[in-house]
Amino acid sequence: MSLVADGVSSPDERAARTADLLAAWEPTDPDQRAERDAFVAFTRERGAAALNRDGGPEHLTASTFVLTRDHRRVLLALHRKAGLWLQLGGHVEPGDANLPAAALREAREEGGIADLELRADAPVDLHRHPLGGAFGRCRAHWDTGWVAFADEVPPLTSAESHEVAWWPVDALPTPVPHDLHVRLGHALTAARLRT
């Protein structure tokens, strides 16, 4: 899928393309198939609001598991609001052509690494999670996870994080969400299939 917008489209057309992109994904994990179906239904039902942080308390987000090319290290951010080490990511913005473009933009903004190679043909993970009061009106994120590759260069820390650092994929820092290792596993499986 192109990271460049293919002409001007309405928010509803963008939502329809998003639902089609998610519906076309064939995950290997049966649990992810059920998530895919739920994400597609949510996006089709909500339309443009599914991609808009102001469209309701639940909406799609895009995150990126930035890996070294040898798949041994992952770039994580100690998120200020969550208080956890997480993959890079955030809300879809009106100027983002699609979910992979949002994931790439967020990874560049939060990690400060411009030279990222996004594996943009399909997401690698879908994950719904509730949010605490620190997230304002947002009550749940329907997160689409993507993979990008980068050289292990020193990252920059954005205002959204306390710290951004590379970690061995088999020795993650603490604290992390209880299921980050599962999500990272999906990313690593997809990355290995790519090579």
Side-chain angles (χ1 to χ4, degrees):
M1 170 161 280
S2 171
L3 295 181
V4 178
D6 52 357
V8 177
S9 62
S10 74
D12 286 330
E13 290 170 331
R14 192 171 118 187
R17 284 197 322 264
T18 298
D20 292 344
L21 168 69
L22 296 172
W25 179 46
E26 289 297 335
T28 56
D29 181 332
D31 292 335
Q32 285 289 287
R33 287 189 205 115
E35 279 296 279
R36 176 203 56 205
D37 295 344
F39 272 62
V40 170
F42 174 78
T43 305
R44 292 201 196 286
E45 177 184 316
R46 300 286 314 282
L51 294 167
N52 185 343
R53 79 170 85 192
D54 295 325
E58 298 187 25
H59 39 263
L60 295 176
T61 55
S63 66
T64 307
F65 293 90
V66 179
L67 302 171
T68 54
R69 297 179 201 289
D70 63 5
H71 311 154
R72 292 184 183 193
R73 296 177 72 80
V74 61
L75 188 63
L76 299 177
L78 182 54
H79 195 277
R80 285 190 188 277
K81 290 181 182 176
L84 300 168
W85 286 95
L86 303 168
Q87 74 280 7
L88 310 177
H91 290 104
V92 179
E93 300 293 343
D96 294 326
N98 49 40
L99 289 174
L104 184 62
R105 177 189 49 74
E106 284 286 342
R108 286 178 173 155
E109 288 175 2
E110 292 187 6
I113 299 174
D115 191 18
L116 295 174
E117 176 192 342
L118 187 70
R119 178 188 177 270
D121 53 330
V124 297
D125 172 84
L126 300 175
H127 186 268
R128 288 179 280 175
H129 49 272
L131 301 168
F135 287 85
R137 293 180 298 171
C138 297
R139 291 293 168 246
H141 281 165
W142 294 60
D143 191 49
T144 61
W146 303 82
V147 165
F149 302 99
D151 294 327
E152 191 178 341
V153 297
L156 299 176
T157 302
S158 77
E160 295 182 31
S161 305
H162 291 294
E163 184 180 355
V164 178
W166 291 99
W167 295 92
V169 296
D170 57 355
L172 299 179
T174 57
V176 296
H178 69 91
D179 55 0
L180 181 65
H181 67 285
V182 174
R183 297 193 71 194
L184 179 57
H186 293 149
L188 289 167
T189 297
R192 292 176 182 132
L193 290 173
R194 182 184 180 279
T195 55

